[in-house]
Amino acid sequence: MAQPKIGFWTSTSLVMGNMIASAMFMLPAALASFGSISLIGWLVSGAGAVCLALVFSWLSQIMPLANGGPYAYTREGLGDFAAFLVGWGYWISVWSTNAAISVAFISYLTVFFPVLGVNAFYAVAVGLGSIWLLTWINTHGLKEAGAVQLVTTILKIAPLVLVTMGGAFFIQMENYQPFNSSGTSDMAAISSTATLTLFAFMGLECATIPSGSVENAGKTIARATLVGTLAVTVLYVLGTVVIMGVLSPELLKNSKAPFADAATYLWGDWAGYVVAAGAVISTFGALNGWIIMQGQIPAAAAADRLFPSSFGKLNKRGAPVLSLVASSILISLLLFMNFSRNLADTYQFIILISTMTVLVAFLFSSVSYLVLAVRSGDTRWNQPWKFLIAIIAFVYSLWAVAGSGQEAVYWGFLLLIAGVPLYGISKIVRF
């Protein structure tokens, strides 16, 4: 029996819902230590994200039924080993992302349950509960998980727009000073903030990953990728401008829930609770969207014998159960390992690891577009301006690797290398 497919709005909600996750609600606080120069970082990462979105939209039209998105494009353009590195690195990025979103989910719940901010046991228990609840939902199939994603995406946008539009009338220009408070050069600060904000654009490629389950995939995925990325970019930049203008740098640096704190400052406690509830829904929805992804990538690689075949086995509802469960076990371990740090430090460390590993997928996908466009001989893709955008996307991704920092690059490299033996085993043994 054919599995039900998702359409434009659900695909767009995957893009927007996975992008508007913890980053939108947490990054203003993480960026406060850099000063208002971080807004330039947002613009740089936004421009790079749009270039990447264009590359993925073109790739989705060249290969409309490429399950696994970046993994499938890389395999077609650069071969099995490069595809394995993309699939392995992207998988690491996805479960790292889910760990970071879990931390943000817990952080915003502290507005309602302050004990979560001081008791690590309760915090980890809530994080694990949310992860495994959504894993269970995703074992019931993509259509059901997509419905959860669409609803939570709609619910999360309203409080963001409320604070962004309402707060614009209460901006205090002195809050944007000093321009650069990082203690480093302007270029170093821009590079660091662009790398941190790049995490906020993780998810722009998500509509490409379950392409075999998307109606009219070539057209739907391309539109969903571009519309979702552009809409979220505008909301990110405007939202951060307003939050930085409303809250003083000192308040913002120490905020565990900056949008809720801004709403409380503007309209009172009730508004803070409304926005905090929106943030909880947002992070819960994003966690659901990324759990969808954590099952799809290993399953696609397993179908090509680049991951163990058991990762590709589907239940009667079409869900890759082992891929989902194995990923959630890894998320759980990461939460346990990092809760020795405080919430903000945990969040920042995890997003740097996640960003570093997903950049491998962006780098290889940009090169794969150039290869596939030339190989196709189709004048729709062999245009100099499209080649230029693909090159910009590649250079931007490479620059972001350099800006990830020594710790993130070190751990990201080790994690990628650790997967190489699995590649060799998977090519020899079918298990």
Side-chain angles (χ1 to χ4, degrees), residues 26 34 58 78 91 93 117 183 213 235 305 314 368 372 392 410 422:
M26 293 286 285
F34 292 91
W58 298 332
L78 301 176
W91 187 42
S93 176
S213 301
L235 190 56
R305 289 197 65 178
L314 308 179
S368 295
L372 294 174
I392 291 172
Y410 173 76
L422 179 63

Side-chain angles (χ1 to χ4, degrees), residues 37 40 46 74 85 108 165 223 232 240 255 257 269 272-273 330 381:
I37 195 172
I40 299 177
T74 301
L85 289 178
Y108 263 88
M165 294 181 65
R223 287 174 57 208
V232 171
T240 305
S255 175
D269 289 343
Y273 286 119
L330 292 168
W381 319 120

Side-chain angles (χ1 to χ4, degrees), residues 4-199:
K5 295 191 173 185
I6 60 176
F8 170 75
W9 290 110
T10 302
S11 296
T12 304
S13 75
L14 271 178
V15 175
M16 295 185 68
N18 284 10
M19 289 172 71
I20 303 176
S22 53
M24 181 62 180
F25 293 94
M26 293 286 285
L27 271 175
L31 295 172
S33 60
F34 292 91
S36 54
I37 195 172
S38 59
L39 295 174
I40 299 177
W42 269 120
L43 295 175
V44 171
S45 58
V50 170
C51 289
L52 285 165
L54 286 167
V55 169
F56 280 115
S57 70
W58 298 332
L59 283 166
S60 71
Q61 294 173 72
I62 295 174
M63 296 177 60
L65 299 177
N67 276 332
Y71 157 80
Y73 305 142
T74 301
R75 184 169 185 265
E76 184 68 21
L78 301 176
D80 281 357
F81 184 64
F84 172 80
L85 289 178
V86 167
W88 177 254
Y90 196 89
W91 187 42
I92 292 170
S93 176
V94 168
W95 51 261
S96 298
T97 294
N98 281 336
I101 293 171
S102 299
V103 171
F105 176 67
I106 296 165
S107 186
Y108 263 88
L109 277 176
T110 60
V111 174
F112 303 99
F113 307 102
V115 67
L116 296 177
V118 295
N119 189 306
F121 175 80
Y122 289 144
V124 171
V126 170
L128 293 177
S130 61
I131 289 164
W132 287 101
L133 171 63
L134 289 172
T135 301
W136 175 77
I137 290 173
N138 273 265
T139 62
H140 287 68
L142 186 61
K143 190 73 175 179
E144 287 73 12
V148 173
Q149 186 69 7
L150 182 59
V151 171
T152 55
T153 298
I154 293 170
L155 290 175
K156 75 174 65 175
I157 291 175
L160 294 176
V161 173
L162 173 69
V163 175
T164 299
M165 294 181 65
F169 298 98
F170 297 90
I171 289 175
Q172 300 178 51
M173 297 306 296
E174 61 268 22
N175 288 338
Y176 296 117
Q177 298 298 325
F179 180 63
N180 180 1
S181 57
S182 67
T184 63
S185 68
D186 287 354
M187 184 56 66
I190 292 171
S191 179
S192 296
T193 56
T195 302
L196 278 173
T197 55
L198 174 62
F199 176 74

Side-chain angles (χ1 to χ4, degrees), residues 326-370:
S327 301
S328 291
I329 290 172
L330 292 168
I331 298 167
S332 302
L333 291 174
L334 194 57
L335 277 180
F336 278 119
M337 289 169 58
N338 281 281
F339 255 94
S340 58
R341 309 179 182 209
N342 62 41
L343 284 174
D345 288 343
T346 301
Y347 179 81
Q348 185 163 332
F349 174 76
I350 295 174
I351 67 172
L352 286 174
I353 292 292
S354 176
T355 301
M356 173 61 199
T357 49
V358 82
L359 285 170
V360 175
F362 289 176
L363 286 165
F364 284 12
S365 294
S366 300
V367 175
S368 295
Y369 172 75
L370 297 172

